[in-house]
DNA sequence: GCTGATTTTCCTGTTT
DNA sequence: TAAACAGGAAAATCAG
C-alpha cells in the first residue's frame, strides 16, 4: 500500500508543478527518450508483470471509466499507470505535454503522441485506443495489431517488449513470442530429456545478463520491482527472495522460457557458490549473499 | 562444426 | 506435509 501512496503523492506533486509552470499542450520536439532509459531494464520483456507481481499493476483502467470523461488528474494517473506497467522511467515523459483532460487526450493523434512522448508515444496511443474501444464496444475483443497495421510505417525502437500483444518485428526483435507450453509427460522417459525445454526459439540477441546480474539489477532497482527481492544486509550483500516464483517467472520471461521455476533458478544460483559469485547463508531460506566475484552490487561501485 | 561457459532440466535425498 | 536446499548428471544454448 505504501507504493500506491507514494505514487499518488508523486502524481500530486507533478500535478502541482505543472499547474504552475506549463501551458496547455505545448509540444516541443522531444529528444530521443531511449537514451534516458536505464539500459539495464530497457531490454526486459515486461508485458505481463502483473502476472508475476499480483497487486502491483492490478488496478487497471476499467471499461466503465471511459477516457474521454477523465479529468486531467485521471489522465496523469493513467500515464503513471502506463509507466509502471511498462517499467518506463517517469523522467522519460515530459508530463507537461499531457496537461490535458480526457476529451483532449482522446483527440490526440498518433503523431501527437509521438511528438509529446517520443518513443513512448505509440505505446500510450495504443493503450488509449484500446481503452476507447473497450469502453465503446464492451465485450468486443480488441486487437492492437489492427491499429498497428493501419498506422503509418513508423520505425520506433521500443524500450521494452510486448511479446504477447505486439509483433516482434515492430518491437524488440531479439525476443520472440512465448511459445505454448507443451510439457512432456513425466511418465514418458523418451521425451523427458530430449525435450527438456518446452520450446526454445533461437534468439538473435547475444546472451544477455547472467542470472546473478539479473538478480543484482532487481536489487539495485527496487522501485521497478517492488517486493520481489530485498536486501537483508546491504553492506554485506545479503539479500532475500520475497517472491521467489515471481522472480523465476521474470527470469524465465527474460530468457523466453515459460517453464522457469524457482527450483530451477535456485539450482543455477547454487552453481554460483563454487565460482564465489555467491556465498552460502546457512540456515536461512531464500537468503543468498554476493561473493567476492560478484561485481557491481556495492554502493561504492555504483 | 567444435569448444567452453553458463544455464536448464530432472532427479534423489535432506533439512526446515 | 510442503517448501526449500543440496548437489549429481546430462542436455541445451550461445559466443567465440
Amino acid at each position: 500500500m505504501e507504493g500506491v501512496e507514494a505514487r499518488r503523492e508523486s502524481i500530486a506533486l507533478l500535478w502541482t508543478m505543472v499547474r504552475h509552470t506549463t501551458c496547455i499542450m505545448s509540444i516541443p520536439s522531444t529528444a530521443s527518450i531511449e537514451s534516458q532509459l536505464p539500459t539495464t531494464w530497457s531490454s526486459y520483456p515486461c508485458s505481463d508483470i502483473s502476472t508475476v507481481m499480483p497487486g502491483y499493476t492490478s488496478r487497471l483502467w476499467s471499461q466503465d471509466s471511459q477516457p474521454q470523461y477523465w479529468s486531467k488528474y485521471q489522465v496523469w494517473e493513467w500515464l503513471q499507470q502506463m509507466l509502471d506497467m511498462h517499467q518506463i522511467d517517469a523522467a522519460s515523459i515530459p508530463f507537461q505535454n499531457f496537461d490535458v483532460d480526457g476529451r483532449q487526450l482522446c483527440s490526440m493523434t498518433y503523431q501527437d503522441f509521438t511528438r509529446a512522448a517520443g518513443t513512448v508515444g505509440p505505446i500510450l496511443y495504443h493503450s488509449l485506443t484500446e481503452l476507447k474501444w473497450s469502453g465503446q464496444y464492451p465485450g468486443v475483443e480488441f486487437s492492437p495489431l489492427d491499429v498497428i497495421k493501419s498506422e503509418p510505417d513508423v520505425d520506433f525502437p521500443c524500450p521494452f517488449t510486448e511479446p504477447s500483444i505486439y509483433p516482434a518485428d515492430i518491437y524488440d526483435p531479439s525476443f520472440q513470442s512465448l511459445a505454448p507450453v507443451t510439457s512432456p509427460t513425466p511418465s514418458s522417459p523418451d521425451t523427458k530429456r530430449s525435450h527438456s525445454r518446452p520450446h526454445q526459439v533461437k534468439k538473435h540477441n547475444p546472451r544477455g545478463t547472467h542470472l546473478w546480474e539479473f538478480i543484482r539489477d532487481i536489487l539495485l532497482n527496487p522501485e521497478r520491482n517492488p517486493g520481489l527481492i530485498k536486501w537483508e544486509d546491504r553492506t554485506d550483500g545479503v539479500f532475500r527472495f520475497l517472491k521467489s516464483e515471481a522472480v523465476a517467472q521474470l527470469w524465465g520471461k527474460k530468457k523466453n522460457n515459460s517453464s522457469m521455476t524457482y527450483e530451477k533458478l535456485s539450482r543455477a544460483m547454487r552453481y554460483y557458490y563454487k565460482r564465489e559469485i555467491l556465498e552460502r547463508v546457512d540456515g536461512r531460506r531464500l537468503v543468498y549473499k554476493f561473493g567476492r566475484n560478484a561485481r557491481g552490487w556495492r554502493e561504492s561501485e555504483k
Side-chain angles (χ1 to χ4, degrees):
Chain A
M1 286 305 288
E2 276 182 28
V4 174
E5 285 303 315
R7 189 157 62 235
R8 285 193 170 279
E9 279 180 26
S10 69
I11 293 170
L13 181 63
L14 287 164
W15 172 251
T16 308
M17 288 164 61
V18 164
R19 295 306 306 156
H20 287 86
T21 57
T22 65
C23 57
I24 293 176
M25 285 309 295
S26 59
I27 302 175
S29 57
T30 47
S32 169
I33 286 166
E34 288 178 276
S35 58
Q36 300 174 39
L37 291 168
T39 52
T40 311
W41 285 90
S42 60
S43 63
Y44 282 5
C46 50
S47 66
D48 202 11
I49 198 74
S50 60
T51 63
V52 295
M53 285 190 285
Y56 180 52
T57 57
S58 60
R59 187 174 56 85
L60 298 174
W61 294 89
S62 59
Q63 293 181 8
D64 57 6
S65 173
Q66 293 187 25
Q68 48 268 51
Y69 302 122
W70 288 349
S71 65
K72 290 183 180 181
Y73 187 84
Q74 283 176 304
V75 170
W76 275 44
E77 274 209 315
W78 167 75
L79 270 176
Q80 188 67 46
Q81 177 92 12
M82 289 301 103
L83 296 178
D84 285 352
M85 281 180 71
H86 299 300
Q87 301 184 351
I88 299 168
D89 191 343
S92 304
I93 294 185
F95 269 61
Q96 66 270 20
N97 288 351
F98 290 92
D99 186 22
V100 295
D101 60 23
R103 188 180 57 81
Q104 291 169 296
L105 186 76
C106 289
S107 69
M108 286 173 69
T109 64
Y110 184 89
Q111 282 75 21
D112 288 338
F113 271 94
T114 306
R115 277 195 294 270
T119 54
V120 183
I123 311 306
L124 299 174
Y125 179 77
H126 295 318
S127 173
L128 183 69
T129 307
E130 188 173 7
L131 273 171
K132 284 195 283 188
W133 274 75
S134 60
Q136 215 169 344
Y137 303 105
V140 175
E141 198 72 20
F142 175 79
S143 169
L145 295 177
D146 297 336
V147 175
I148 291 174
K149 282 175 197 158
S150 64
E151 275 160 10
D153 194 12
V154 289
D155 178 28
F156 57 90
C158 182
F160 53 86
T161 58
E162 288 278 3
S164 63
I165 301 173
Y166 298 108
D169 55 341
I170 290 184
Y171 284 78
D172 187 346
S174 63
F175 285 96
Q176 280 77 30
S177 301
L178 292 176
V181 179
T182 53
S183 309
T185 52
S187 57
S188 57
D190 289 342
T191 58
K192 241 174 166 179
R193 299 252 176 205
S194 57
H195 299 91
S196 45
R197 293 176 79 164
H199 184 91
Q200 180 76 23
V201 183
K202 287 235 173 193
K203 285 179 277 192
H204 296 119
N205 64 317
R207 188 188 292 273
T209 52
H210 296 149
L211 173 59
W212 71 270
E213 293 171 310
F214 171 79
I215 299 297
R216 177 199 65 193
D217 291 344
I218 291 178
L219 280 161
L220 296 180
N221 296 272
E223 72 280 4
R224 306 217 179 266
N225 264 303
L228 291 184
I229 315 173
K230 67 172 267 194
W231 289 110
E232 290 274 293
D233 187 327
R234 182 71 178 85
T235 312
D236 283 351
V238 181
F239 58 93
R240 181 162 60 94
F241 282 82
L242 300 176
K243 294 178 181 172
S244 52
E245 284 302 330
V247 175
Q249 285 182 42
L250 211 54
W251 174 241
K253 279 208 159 195
K254 181 170 173 58
K255 300 295 289 289
N256 197 23
N257 177 3
S258 56
S259 65
M260 179 53 63
T261 63
Y262 176 71
E263 190 183 358
K264 295 172 189 173
L265 182 149
S266 64
R267 181 68 190 97
M269 296 282 278
R270 289 194 293 276
Y271 271 121
Y272 287 142
Y273 293 147
K274 250 183 182 175
R275 296 164 55 201
E276 296 188 271
I277 289 169
L278 293 177
E279 289 178 26
R280 284 179 210 286
V281 178
D282 289 328
R284 300 202 59 197
R285 291 184 163 208
L286 302 172
V287 176
Y288 298 85
K289 179 183 179 184
F290 285 118
R292 55 195 286 186
N293 292 332
R295 296 277 179 267
W297 59 270
R298 289 183 183 85
E299 281 179 303
S300 57
E301 291 180 83
K302 284 170 79 175

